[in-house]
Amino acid sequence: MTNLLIADDHPLFRAALRLAASDNLGDCSVREAADLPGVLAALAAEPDTDLVLLDLHMPGSRGLSGLAALRGQHPGVAVLVVSAHDDPRIVRRVLDHGAAGFIPKSASPAEIGAAIRSVLDCGSWLPPGLAEAVATLPVDPADTDLASRLARLTEQQSRVLALLAEGLLNKQIADRLGIQERTVKAHVTAIFEKLKVRNRTQAGMVLRALELGEPARTG
């Protein structure tokens, strides 16, 4: 049986994705999460998940940071980004950070089904028109290097990095995560080494490089 995880903070859109998946796959297990911590918890509980349908904008996720966390902590799970952010330059970054494909939120149920089937068959998927635009854009070596460095972080280190970027001190991070301060210090040291940075400011800048503006809303 195919195991899917739908990650989106809008219940109605999760329901639409669930329906499209069920109509196209038949016998499948579909779970849902409304924020990034919920996504990571679901994957920890079900590591044999085949595919995550991931929204870029949800609580706990800073633009591409959610995708980076999933690819780093669960590299064997395919990720198909579903977003209103369909600028070709953003889609290029999504692919460079390890997504198997991209579905605009304006996609029809048939397109969603085609994308899911393609990725589950170990392929990739972009809407035809968007694929042509993305193909003209070069891969950014800086972005692929950033993705590689972030992939080295553990789940807990990703959490610590996010709190570092918020300006929290080690003791505050320890209290927030329920761990000892010396453990936080060890994580911070490892983060600096893996990200090739020297201080907390530079580490925060790495995470901020993943941020995206809010997609334009219509209606």
Side-chain angles (χ1 to χ4, degrees):
M1 178 184 294
T2 302
N3 294 313
L4 302 182
L5 174 60
I6 296 173
D8 194 292
D9 60 335
H10 294 92
L12 289 178
F13 198 73
R14 289 202 307 270
L17 288 174
R18 175 184 283 272
L19 181 60
S22 299
D23 285 348
N24 283 275
L25 297 179
D27 188 20
C28 63
S29 172
V30 182
R31 290 169 297 129
E32 300 180 9
D35 54 32
L36 184 60
V39 174
L40 296 175
L43 290 175
E46 295 288 345
D48 60 343
T49 299
D50 298 296
L51 174 63
V52 178
L53 303 178
L54 177 70
D55 183 22
L56 292 180
H57 290 278
M58 63 168 56
S61 177
R62 292 169 172 264
L64 298 171
S65 65
L67 173 60
L70 263 64
R71 297 302 302 143
Q73 297 164 36
H74 302 278
V77 179
V79 180
L80 187 54
V81 166
V82 186
S83 177
H85 241 321
D86 57 359
D87 183 312
R89 292 167 296 180
I90 299 299
V91 178
R92 175 74 269 171
R93 296 194 71 193
V94 163
L95 299 179
D96 291 346
H97 280 267
F102 181 92
I103 305 174
K105 284 201 169 181
S106 59
S108 68
E111 289 176 311
I112 294 171
I116 292 173
R117 290 194 304 272
S118 178
V119 172
L120 288 175
D121 287 338
C122 300
S124 59
W125 198 88
L126 292 176
L130 189 55
E132 294 174 3
V134 172
T136 66
L137 299 174
V139 173
D140 185 347
D143 223 24
T144 54
D145 176 65
L146 174 60
S148 175
R149 284 184 285 151
L150 287 166
R152 301 182 188 128
L153 301 181
T154 66
E155 179 178 346
Q156 192 74 312
Q157 288 166 1
S158 295
R159 292 171 178 164
V160 171
L161 175 60
L163 297 176
L164 280 179
E166 292 180 16
L168 272 64
L169 302 177
N170 286 354
K171 185 178 187 307
Q172 294 171 312
I173 294 173
D175 292 342
R176 182 78 66 88
L177 298 179
I179 57 180
Q180 296 185 358
E181 188 173 353
R182 67 171 180 268
T183 303
V184 174
K185 291 179 180 178
H187 283 318
V188 170
T189 299
I191 289 168
F192 288 178
E193 180 179 351
K194 292 179 178 180
L195 295 185
K196 301 178 183 178
V197 299
R198 296 180 179 179
N199 54 51
R200 303 165 80 92
T201 299
Q202 290 179 345
M205 290 174 64
V206 168
L207 194 60
R208 285 190 288 275
L210 298 172
E211 294 181 357
L212 304 171
E214 287 289 336
R217 299 185 182 276
T218 59

